[in-house]
Amino acid sequence: MASFESGRRQVREFFAAKAVGWEKRFPDDTPVYAAAVGELGLRPGGRALDAGCGTARALPLMRAVVGAAGTVVGVDLTPEMLREAVALGRDRDGALIEAAGEELPLRDAAFDAVLAAGLVHHLPDPAAGLRELARVTRSGGRLALFHPIGRAALAARRGHELRADDVRAEPQLRPLLAATGWELASLDDSAERYLAVAVRHA
């Protein structure tokens, strides 16, 4: 439990320090976010969750699809990120909730689709997080694990090598999803983006 809490604290501290002005560092990411939201299969009146929402860049995009009759929720562990989301007016597009990805204060099967941008590799226990996302997603609902650039491009930007044990790599991701209630439907790990789309098991 101590290592679990330590992992959460490290993630919170990492993002807290970067929250103000976060989107100014990545001003051109909105179109690729829009494309990822488009992969969720949302419809008017649908129910969408942005898990690990950060500054909630995806909430207006989700609201545009589901409309006024739909439900849009953003959840993030870091209060500073949520405050930045409010400062950007994102609370007008959906509810913002402070919570850990492994312990969502949301009912079972509450959502049709979940976007998790830059989330899974930051979770202290990715299996627990994916299982919790499955819990709150209806049977047949979709999950998009997303990052606005691919793994190799991101590693190069940070001066790192790709790790063979990266949870986002297909050999690790496919069985992990299968064990936590999902079936991997597609994976795009190009230079332009990382997008793994999975479907909730019946």
Side-chain angles (χ1 to χ4, degrees):
M1 178 62 74
S3 61
F4 193 82
E5 289 302 324
S6 174
R8 282 187 182 174
R9 184 170 60 254
Q10 289 174 11
V11 169
R12 190 183 291 116
E13 289 173 354
F14 176 84
F15 285 105
K18 296 173 170 58
V20 175
W22 174 263
E23 291 187 23
K24 292 179 181 177
R25 299 171 61 201
F26 310 104
D28 302 322
D29 283 355
T30 298
V32 71
Y33 267 81
V37 169
E39 298 281 350
L40 291 173
L42 288 165
R43 300 173 182 273
R47 303 164 296 165
L49 172 65
D50 185 358
C53 67
T55 58
R57 188 192 292 258
L59 261 64
L61 304 169
M62 291 173 160
R63 176 60 68 191
V65 178
V66 303
T71 298
V72 177
V73 176
V75 175
D76 201 88
L77 178 66
T78 306
E80 290 84 356
M81 278 288 190
L82 294 174
R83 284 199 289 272
E84 183 73 354
V86 172
L88 292 168
R90 302 284 163 67
D91 54 328
R92 293 192 294 266
D93 293 296
L96 294 170
I97 300 172
E98 182 185 339
E102 306 90 346
E103 297 174 331
L104 298 173
L106 302 165
R107 62 180 175 82
D108 294 357
F111 297 95
D112 301 309
V114 178
L115 178 72
L119 175 68
V120 67
H121 60 293
H122 284 298
L123 293 172
D125 185 345
L130 289 168
R131 196 173 294 113
E132 182 70 346
L133 293 179
R135 181 186 67 79
V136 301
T137 305
R138 66 166 175 80
S139 176
R142 292 165 77 85
L143 166 68
L145 303 177
F146 168 69
H147 199 280
I149 63 173
R151 290 187 308 123
L154 183 61
R157 175 190 287 178
R158 295 177 175 172
H160 300 160
E161 296 290 330
L162 275 180
R163 294 178 47 164
D165 63 349
D166 187 339
V167 69
R168 297 164 294 178
E170 194 274 343
Q172 281 70 248
L173 184 64
R174 186 179 294 276
L176 178 60
L177 286 167
T180 54
W182 303 96
E183 180 179 355
L184 183 63
S186 65
L187 176 61
D188 178 359
D189 192 7
S190 60
E192 290 75 23
R193 69 175 181 179
Y194 177 89
L195 181 67
V197 177
V199 179
R200 177 73 170 94
H201 288 160

